[in-house]
C-alpha cells in the first residue's frame, strides 16, 4: 500500500496492478483498507515498509489540505 501524504490516497499493488482503495484521512482509515484487502493484524503492518510506503510526508502525519472549492 502506498500512502501519499499530500493527497491521502491509499493504493494497493496486487495482481500486477495498482488498485485505489480510497481516500484516507487517518491511520484508522488505512487499517480499514488493509482489513478489506484481507491483511491479518493490519495495525501491525503500518510500520512495515514491505506493506506500507509513506510518500510525500512523514509516517502517520495527516495533513489537511485547503478546500479550494470555497469561494472567497
Amino acid at each position: 500500500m502506498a500512502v501519499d501524504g499530500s493527497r491521502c490516497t491509499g493504493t494497493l499493488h496486487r495482481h500486477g496492478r495498482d488498485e485505489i482503495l480510497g481516500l484516507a484521512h487517518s491511520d484508522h482509515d488505512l487499517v480499514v483498507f488493509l482489513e478489506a484487502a484481507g491483511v491479518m493484524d493490519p495495525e501491525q503492518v503500518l510500520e512495515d515498509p514491505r506493506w506500507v510506503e509513506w510518500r510525500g510526508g512523514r509516517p502517520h502525519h495527516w495533513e489537511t489540505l485547503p478546500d479550494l472549492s470555497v469561494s472567497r
Side-chain angles (χ1 to χ4, degrees), residues 1 21-24 26-39 42-43 46:
M1 171 175 287
L21 300 176
L23 190 62
S26 67
D27 283 2
H28 173 75
D29 292 345
L30 293 179
V31 167
V32 170
F33 294 158
L34 290 166
E35 284 177 340
V39 174
E43 295 90 359
L46 293 182

Side-chain angles (χ1 to χ4, degrees), residues 39-58:
V39 174
M40 301 294 248
D41 296 323
E43 295 90 359
Q44 302 302 315
V45 303
L46 293 182
E47 299 296 329
D48 188 337
R50 294 173 297 173
W51 284 95
V52 178
E53 178 184 340
W54 297 89
R55 299 179 182 170
R58 297 185 318 260

